[in-house]
Amino acid sequence: MIELILPSHVAASEAFRDPLGAVLFPSERRLIEKAVDSRKREFTTARLCARKALGMLGLPPRPILPNDHGAPQWPEGVVGSITHCAGYRAAALARTTDVMLLGIDAEPNLPLPKGILESIALPEEQRRVRRMRRVAPEVHWDRLLFGMKECVYKSWYPYTGQRLEFEDADISFDAGVATFTAQLRLPHDPPRRPSTDRLEGRWLAHKGLLITAISLATTSPCKAGDGVSSAAAPPGVHIR
Ligand SMILES: CC(C)(COP(=O)(O)OP(=O)(O)OC[C@H]1O[C@@H](n2cnc3c(N)ncnc32)[C@H](O)[C@@H]1OP(=O)(O)O)[C@@H](O)C(=O)NCCC(=O)NCCS
């Protein structure tokens, strides 16, 4: 389902359960040999998804190892993102000739624990969450906002090398067309800056999950969110 909120030139693969017998490269296996079982499973299935997505781009399987800040390292000329939560794993990849920034996130459609919204959301974001609760109560907007912020971070960090705090992105969102916009408020310039600090993404509520995606095109860097403009977003993307 994640392909519904990604442009067609992004290769995406997802899994709703962990297949038996999925194989890791030795370098990957070493990374998680001491991890708990649930971590081993999410790590392994996400790598399976990532290798399927590499295959869709015509690239051979390879180990997918994290850098010092946890970001997955892709082959030269590839940008990508990984997500996992209970009952869902996914990877999305694209050629850097097509996509500059790419981030995906999945969260359960469940409320955040008490007190967390206040610690991750700006006052105006908290107001938007309260308003949207009245409009569409079947979506846990506090959790969705959290996922949007994680998605922003996962798209921004690999390109810019800049870590973001939760208050560095001011996110507004829409129920009808299932889009969101993140206006970054950066305390200092990143080492490498894309041409915009306004990212547009899309979200999807389906099967008890809240999925978010940001894809910023390389070819028209002034236009944020290739294929994610509200005009292009099908209204049916928000599925209960
Ligand atoms: C890194 C982080 C974004 C992961 O998000 P999450 O919702 O907890 O977990 P997910 O399962 O969706 O994603 C995990 C994957 O993110 C990827 N990831 C980790 N660090 C990353 C980074 N710095 N940049 C990009 N991707 C990263 C990894 O691929 C990881 O999976 P893996 O360890 O199996 O390879 C989150 O743990 C974090 O550190 N957040 C704080 C920073 C932040 O979000 N600030 C808000 C900015 S507005």
Side-chain angles (χ1 to χ4, degrees):
M1 67 189 182
I2 198 168
E3 71 282 359
L4 289 172
I5 54 168
L6 285 165
S8 56
H9 49 257
V10 174
S13 171
E14 64 192 352
F16 295 88
R17 61 188 65 83
D18 299 309
L20 292 173
V23 181
L24 290 177
F25 283 89
S27 53
E28 293 173 327
R29 221 170 22 242
R30 276 195 296 276
L31 276 180
I32 53 151
E33 61 194 358
K34 295 202 173 94
V36 294
D37 271 0
S38 55
R39 171 63 179 147
K40 283 181 180 159
R41 284 197 300 272
E42 67 175 23
F43 180 95
T44 304
T45 307
R47 262 86 202 145
L48 196 72
C49 292
R51 286 193 259 283
K52 278 189 189 160
L54 278 174
M56 290 177 209
L57 294 179
L59 295 167
R62 53 171 278 151
I64 295 144
L65 304 172
N67 74 5
D68 289 346
H69 295 284
Q73 300 176 95
W74 305 109
E76 189 67 28
V78 172
V79 62
S81 185
I82 284 175
T83 188
H84 27 58
C85 70
Y88 189 75
R89 290 80 168 85
L93 304 185
R95 300 271 182 187
T96 52
T97 44
D98 294 324
V99 175
M100 189 188 292
L101 265 61
L102 183 58
I104 58 170
D105 191 74
E107 301 288 333
N109 188 6
L110 294 171
L112 285 175
K114 208 168 161 33
I116 298 295
L117 178 66
E118 293 69 22
S119 65
I120 62 129
L122 299 165
E124 50 272 42
E125 292 175 325
Q126 293 177 41
R127 274 195 293 279
R128 284 174 206 134
V129 165
R130 284 196 294 272
R131 196 169 59 237
M132 294 313 292
R133 271 183 192 143
R134 292 192 290 275
V135 175
E138 68 279 14
V139 173
H140 288 285
W141 294 91
D142 53 347
R143 181 77 70 161
L144 181 58
L145 176 68
F146 177 78
M148 289 167 178
K149 294 212 176 216
E150 300 290 61
C151 186
V152 167
Y153 182 72
K154 287 199 237 170
S155 70
W156 188 258
Y157 173 80
Y159 184 86
T160 64
Q162 184 177 44
R163 297 178 65 79
L164 296 175
E165 302 300 329
F166 284 102
E167 67 269 20
D168 293 339
D170 179 5
I171 299 192
S172 42
F173 32 80
D174 193 300
V177 288
T179 59
F180 65 97
T181 303
Q183 180 61 57
L184 297 183
R185 304 161 155 187
L186 303 171
H188 50 83
D189 276 346
R192 187 178 177 216
R193 182 187 260 284
S195 60
T196 181
D197 52 12
R198 187 179 162 87
L199 304 178
E200 290 180 22
R202 288 175 66 182
W203 64 269
L204 171 67
H206 192 42
K207 292 189 174 182
L209 296 165
L210 300 170
I211 316 282
T212 49
I214 290 173
S215 166
L216 177 65
T218 301
T219 43
S220 52
C222 293
K223 183 172 150 269
D226 172 49
V228 297
S229 72
S230 30
V237 154
H238 168 201
I239 307 163
R240 283 182 202 144

